Amino acid sequence: MGSLVSDFLTMSKSNNNSKEFNPLDPEEFREKAHKAVDFIADYYKNIENYPVLSQVQPGYLRNRIPETPPDAPESFDTILRDVQNDIIPGMTHWLSPNFFAFFPATVSSAAFVGDMLSNCFNAVGFNWLASPAATELEMVVMDWLATMLQLPKSFKFSGSGGGVLQSTTSEAVLCTLIAARDRALKEIGVQHVGKLVVYGSDQTHSTFMKVCKIAGIHPENIRSIPTILEDDFSLSPKLLRKVVEADVAKGLVPLYLCATVGTTSTTAIDPIKHLADVAADYRIWVHVDAAYGGSACICPEYRHFLDGVERVDSLSLSPHKWLLTYLDCCCLWTKNPNLIINSLSTNPEYLKNKINDSDSVVSYKDWQVGTGRKFKSLRLWLVLRSYGVTNLRNHIRTDIQMAVTFERLVRSDPRFEIVVPRRFALVCFRLKQFNGFDSAYTELLNKRLLDRVNSTGRVYMTHTIVGGVYLLRFAVGATLTRDHHVVAAWELIRETTDALVKECYA
C-alpha cells in the first residue's frame, strides 16, 4: 500500500509542469488585501471628486472588457487599475456625500471589518452545529437591538419570541406571510387558499405585491388601500375596517396586513396601534415594515412611532439603511417563531444531529427561504460594540438635523413648498405652481429641475408621485455627508431654478 501511494504522488508531481495553483496562500492574501484596503480607503477619500450619478451610456462596459476570460492569471495591480478605469466610471456612488436619492445605504469602518471577519470564516450557518457562534451571536445581537428599540419581551429570545437576520424586507415579509397563510389554511383548508386577502396602503413598498404573488395570494385579493394628503398618506384604520368588512361579507378571509413606519415615497407613518385594533377583530396577522424609520426609534424622541407594536405579530427594519452596517442586513422579529418554522423547516438526513434533534437550539435555516446563510451578525455586533448606543443615536440625530437645515432653506424660498411634513431625514418638496401656468407645466418644471441638477453630477436626488403630485425627494443620510454638502446642494437647486424661471418668462 505504501509503495502504491508513493508511486501515485510521484506521478502526480511529474504531471504538474506548472506552478501549483494555490487560491488561498496566506502571504499572497496579505499582500492583495493590503492593496485592496489602500484602494478602498483612497476611493472613500476621493469619492467626492466623482460624479454622483454615473455618466456612462448603456452598454459602455462591453466595449472595454474582452469578450472571453483570460487563460493565464493577470496581476492584481492590473485588475485594480481596470476597476479604477472601467468600473468606477460606471458606478453611481451611493456613498458620495452628495447622494440624496432613494434612502441611503450607510457604512462604517466597524461594519467593513465585521464583513471581512464574516468572509474570513465563510461559515454557512444553517444550523447550530454548522457554527455555534454564528447562531448564538445572532440571537444575542437580535435581542440587543430589540432592547434598543424597547420592543416587548414577547419579541425576544429572552422571552417567547425571537429574531433573525434576513437579506431584505421582501424576505422578511415573505416568511411572515407564508407563516400567516399556513396558519389560516390549517383552519379553513387548503382548498380555500383563493379566499385569502392581504392588505396594505397605496404607499406600502412595491415589493409587497410581488411577495404576495410568490406566496400564492391571488392578485385580485391584494388590497392597496388609498391614502390622502390630509392624512399625510398614512393608512386610515377606518378605511381599513371598511375594506375588511366588505371582504368578509363576500365570504373572503382577511389574512395579513403590512403597516409601514417610514414609507419610501414620503416616510409616512401608519398608526400601528389603531390598525392593530382592526386586525384583532378579524385575526389578521400584522407585520410592521420599519425598514427605514425603525432605526430612528432607537432614539427616545422617535420611539412613539412604534407605539402599539406590542400588539403586532412581526416587525422588520433594515440596519443597512441607517445603522451603518453595509448591505445587506434586515432584522426580523416575531412573537411566535414556531409559525415560521412550521412553514419553512426542512430536516434532511444529512443535516440531522443529536443537538438539533433535541430542539434545544435554533436552526436558522428554518427561519428563512434558503438554507445557506452568511455570518451577518458579526457585522452588526461590531457596529453596536464599536460605536455604542449613544453614538448611533447621535448619528441619526445629526442626519435629521441636516434635513431640518435643508427644509429651512427650502421654506426660505417662496418659489418652493414642502409637500408633506418631514419626520426623519427625508424632505419632500417641489416648485410651486407659478401664476399663469397650469399644474401640468408645474410638473414639467419640476422634472426639468431634477434632470438638470442630476445631470451636473454634483448632486443626485430622486422623485415620486403621491396623491397625483409630482415631488422631489431629498434624503439625507449618506455616511460622509456633512452640513456644507447640504448647503451646496441647495445652492445648486436654487441656481438651477433661477435659470429655469428665466426661461419660463423669456
Side-chain angles (χ1 to χ4, degrees):
M1 178 65 73
S3 175
L4 186 63
V5 171
S6 177
D7 290 347
F8 175 78
L9 291 175
T10 300
M11 184 171 59
S12 297
K13 187 174 181 180
S14 65
N15 288 336
N16 185 9
N17 297 321
S18 60
K19 182 181 178 181
E20 181 183 0
F21 176 53
N22 184 359
L24 190 57
D25 176 82
E27 292 309 315
E28 181 188 13
F29 168 77
R30 190 190 311 277
E31 178 188 355
K32 289 183 176 179
H34 281 203
K35 288 181 179 180
V37 168
D38 285 342
F39 181 92
I40 293 166
D42 287 341
Y43 169 71
Y44 288 162
K45 186 176 180 179
N46 299 312
I47 193 170
E48 199 168 352
N49 297 326
Y50 299 115
V52 189
L53 185 62
S54 176
Q55 305 294 298
V56 302
Q57 296 300 311
Y60 91 98
L61 195 55
R62 184 170 290 277
N63 297 323
R64 298 187 180 210
I65 292 181
E67 292 184 0
T68 58
D71 288 326
E74 297 186 63
S75 76
F76 191 60
D77 289 337
T78 299
I79 296 169
L80 281 182
R81 186 191 65 216
D82 289 345
V83 172
Q84 180 68 49
N85 296 335
D86 298 336
I87 303 302
I88 284 183
M91 296 301 299
T92 290
H93 299 282
W94 283 68
L95 301 186
S96 169
N98 298 306
F99 184 96
F100 301 104
F102 308 111
F103 284 129
T106 57
V107 302
S108 63
S109 301
F112 193 96
V113 173
D115 208 38
M116 289 175 68
L117 290 172
S118 175
N119 290 331
C120 161
F121 298 126
N122 200 36
V124 188
F126 40 74
N127 62 20
W128 184 88
L129 196 61
S131 277
T135 295
E136 297 196 8
L137 184 63
E138 188 161 335
M139 296 170 69
V140 169
V141 167
M142 291 301 294
D143 270 9
W144 276 11
L145 192 50
T147 299
M148 292 164 62
L149 292 164
Q150 299 178 51
L151 297 185
K153 200 168 185 179
S154 56
F155 281 106
K156 300 179 183 179
F157 285 105
S158 58
S160 56
V164 57
L165 289 174
Q166 304 281 359
S167 294
T168 65
T169 299
S170 302
E171 293 178 25
V173 173
L174 179 60
C175 292
T176 53
L177 177 55
I178 288 172
R181 179 200 67 189
D182 290 353
R183 181 182 69 176
L185 292 179
K186 191 174 181 180
E187 296 177 3
I188 67 174
V190 293
Q191 69 272 23
H192 296 301
V193 65
K195 293 184 177 182
L196 299 177
V197 188
V198 298
Y199 305 88
S201 82
D202 58 5
Q203 301 302 308
T204 302
H205 199 282
S206 59
T207 59
F208 180 57
M209 183 168 290
K210 181 192 297 187
V211 165
C212 292
K213 291 178 181 178
I214 293 172
I217 305 300
H218 196 288
E220 292 182 358
N221 289 354
I222 303 171
R223 303 284 179 258
S224 182
I225 300 173
T227 58
I228 57 175
L229 177 61
E230 289 74 16
D231 291 335
D232 296 334
F233 299 108
S234 66
L235 178 56
S236 163
K238 184 177 180 181
L239 188 52
L240 172 65
R241 184 178 293 277
K242 183 177 179 181
V243 173
V244 171
E245 287 175 348
D247 285 334
V248 172
K250 294 175 187 174
L252 300 175
V253 180
L255 175 70
Y256 187 97
L257 168 66
C258 185
T260 309
V261 175
T263 60
T264 303
S265 284
T266 66
T267 66
I269 307 292
D270 291 337
I272 297 172
K273 183 177 181 181
H274 299 299
L275 293 172
D277 287 339
V278 179
D281 291 342
Y282 298 92
R283 208 180 172 215
I284 298 172
W285 183 299
V286 181
H287 177 76
V288 175
D289 169 11
Y292 172 69
S295 294
C297 296
I298 68 170
C299 302
E301 64 268 33
Y302 298 108
R303 175 55 179 76
H304 66 278
F305 289 129
L306 290 180
D307 283 355
V309 72
E310 69 280 356
R311 303 191 57 201
V312 310
D313 299 276
S314 53
L315 163 75
S316 61
L317 68 82
S318 298
H320 60 242
K321 283 188 176 355
W322 214 351
L323 286 179
L324 305 173
T325 60
Y326 280 88
L327 282 168
D328 48 23
C329 182
C330 173
C331 297
L332 168 65
W333 293 271
T334 180
K335 281 182 177 176
N336 192 341
N338 285 333
L339 291 176
I340 292 179
I341 293 169
N342 291 342
S343 293
L344 300 178
S345 66
T346 57
N347 193 27
E349 187 63 34
Y350 51 81
L351 292 185
K352 290 181 179 178
N353 59 77
K354 290 181 179 179
I355 295 177
N356 274 84
D357 292 345
S358 70
D359 291 327
S360 60
V361 294
V362 166
S363 288
Y364 270 126
K365 68 179 176 59
D366 299 331
W367 294 53
Q368 62 178 27
V369 175
T371 299
R373 57 197 329 271
K374 196 173 178 180
F375 195 175
K376 293 180 184 178
S377 56
L378 265 176
R379 218 187 308 157
L380 192 52
W381 187 54
L382 259 73
V383 168
L384 297 179
R385 290 193 64 190
S386 298
Y387 306 130
V389 178
T390 298
N391 278 324
L392 291 173
R393 285 173 175 165
N394 289 338
H395 154 69
I396 287 170
R397 288 166 177 152
T398 298
D399 285 349
I400 291 174
Q401 190 54 50
M402 285 190 285
V404 169
T405 296
F406 184 81
E407 180 184 28
R408 288 172 178 165
L409 290 169
V410 172
R411 291 187 185 279
S412 71
D413 190 326
R415 297 172 298 182
F416 288 90
E417 63 180 341
I418 301 294
V419 181
V420 295
R422 181 205 49 76
R423 295 174 187 82
F424 302 113
L426 173 70
V427 180
C428 296
F429 71 108
R430 69 167 191 157
L431 279 167
K432 289 180 181 177
Q433 185 168 325
F434 297 154
N435 290 334
F437 297 99
D438 61 15
S439 58
Y441 190 72
T442 301
E443 180 173 318
L444 179 62
L445 276 180
N446 279 282
K447 288 179 177 178
R448 286 178 179 172
L449 173 60
L450 182 64
D451 288 343
R452 290 193 186 184
V453 166
N454 287 342
S455 67
T456 66
R458 293 160 55 190
V459 165
Y460 182 32
M461 300 185 300
T462 48
H463 79 282
T464 191
I465 297 177
V466 287
V469 176
Y470 182 98
L471 56 85
L472 309 181
R473 299 172 71 261
F474 190 88
V476 180
T479 309
L480 298 172
T481 301
R482 300 294 181 265
D483 286 309
H484 68 273
H485 297 111
V486 172
V487 173
W490 168 249
E491 286 301 311
L492 175 61
I493 294 167
R494 188 181 58 78
E495 291 166 7
T496 307
T497 301
D498 291 342
L500 276 174
V501 171
K502 273 187 180 179
E503 293 172 13
C504 288
Y505 291 104

